Amino acid sequence: MSEFPTFQVIPAVDVQDGEVVQLVQGERGTEKRYGDPVDAARRWLDEGAEALHLVDLDGAFEGQRANADAIDDVLETVDVPTQLGGGIRTADDAVDLLERGVDRVILGTAAVENPEIVAEISERHPDSVVVSLDAKDGEVVVEGWTEGAGISPVEAAERYEELGAAAILFTNVDVEGQLEGVATEPVRELVDATAIPVVASGGVATLEDVRDLKDAGAAAVVVGSALYEGKFTLEEAQSVVDDS
């Protein structure tokens, strides 16, 4: 998963209490459930997924991985690159996951609280760290999107690029999970500010949203609710950007 040679549409498998869920604006209690994580992963592979985005949501909120068994079952099932986030708080945690077969680890709170962790992991496993920059009202938020970090996404992206991050995962929490469309300008600002790939997430509701994020310069897009709700198929989403 070292590069994104072509724009990728990456299905999300977000796990809470052992089940796939989608949250609205990242708030607990808003979840809609979509069944077994392995079944979801197999579905996306059958539909042509070239990568999977895995998140331990309980881990993101609680600060330690809580769905390890469910995630491990997915990893044992799939044969495409995976990126995993949620509850990864130390370099040793990240390295353990990478050595067990995860292609990239996604760091959010840990990277904000200790930026040097990005360099530490990257030195041991180059090109393996995706820094998750989740933003509300133009400010990076952490701790499961509940606390402001006092820094803008652009400022943060520039910092993590210098520390060796392989990519930035940018989630616009203002539109996340609402199926009401994307905001492309923040994505464009990040793309202009950094030389590493920007993976966009949040708000995708239509094929036009997918195309707009590609046009904004994103290297890939993570899609959750729109796929689970049948707004379009994975094949349709990938085709619309391949053809554009």
Side-chain angles (χ1 to χ4, degrees):
M1 208 173 192
S2 59
E3 295 291 342
F4 297 89
T6 59
F7 187 91
Q8 289 184 354
V9 181
I10 306 175
V13 181
D14 297 349
V15 184
Q16 178 177 292
D17 296 328
E19 290 186 284
V20 176
V21 305
Q22 288 288 292
L23 305 179
V24 177
Q25 292 187 295
E27 295 184 8
R28 295 178 107 169
T30 64
E31 62 269 7
K32 189 167 183 179
R33 300 182 182 275
Y34 296 97
D36 181 71
V38 170
D39 290 344
R42 285 178 174 151
R43 172 187 173 185
W44 303 133
L45 291 184
D46 288 344
E47 292 193 17
E50 297 179 355
L52 287 177
H53 174 83
L54 309 174
V55 178
D56 183 335
L57 286 173
D58 295 301
F61 285 109
E62 305 298 340
Q64 57 185 1
R65 297 184 64 223
N67 291 282
D69 289 345
I71 298 291
D72 284 346
D73 288 344
V74 171
L75 295 173
E76 291 172 4
T77 300
V78 305
D79 58 358
V80 298
T82 54
Q83 55 186 35
L84 171 63
I88 304 170
R89 293 294 192 263
T90 70
D92 286 343
D93 286 345
V95 169
D96 176 63
L97 289 166
L98 292 165
E99 293 179 347
R100 285 165 52 197
V102 174
D103 292 271
R104 282 184 172 173
V105 290
I106 304 168
L107 302 182
T109 299
V112 171
E113 293 180 346
N114 175 25
E116 292 300 325
I117 193 176
V118 176
E120 183 179 351
I121 298 166
S122 298
E123 286 173 5
R124 296 165 71 177
H125 287 269
D127 201 36
S128 67
V129 178
V130 177
V131 174
S132 176
L133 300 180
D134 306 329
K136 276 184 179 178
D137 298 323
E139 179 184 13
V140 174
V141 290
V142 295
E143 299 292 350
W145 301 344
T146 61
E147 296 182 13
I151 189 171
S152 75
V154 165
E155 292 170 326
E158 292 171 339
R159 171 196 296 177
Y160 296 119
E161 180 181 5
E162 292 178 1
L163 290 168
I168 298 296
L169 172 67
F170 176 68
T171 300
N172 189 334
V173 180
D174 295 324
V175 297
E176 168 69 19
Q178 299 188 75
L179 290 174
E180 293 181 356
V182 298
T184 57
E185 191 55 34
V187 174
R188 201 179 303 277
E189 290 175 357
L190 277 179
V191 171
D192 289 344
T194 179
I196 57 176
V198 174
V199 179
S201 173
V204 173
T206 67
L207 294 173
E208 184 175 319
D209 291 333
V210 175
R211 187 186 298 113
D212 286 348
L213 288 170
K214 180 187 179 184
D215 291 345
V221 59
V222 173
V223 184
S225 297
L227 288 175
Y228 287 100
E229 289 294 311
K231 300 298 183 182
F232 50 77
T233 68
L234 180 58
E235 182 179 7
E236 287 171 339
Q238 192 64 57
S239 294
V240 77
V241 289
D242 289 346
D243 293 342
S244 64

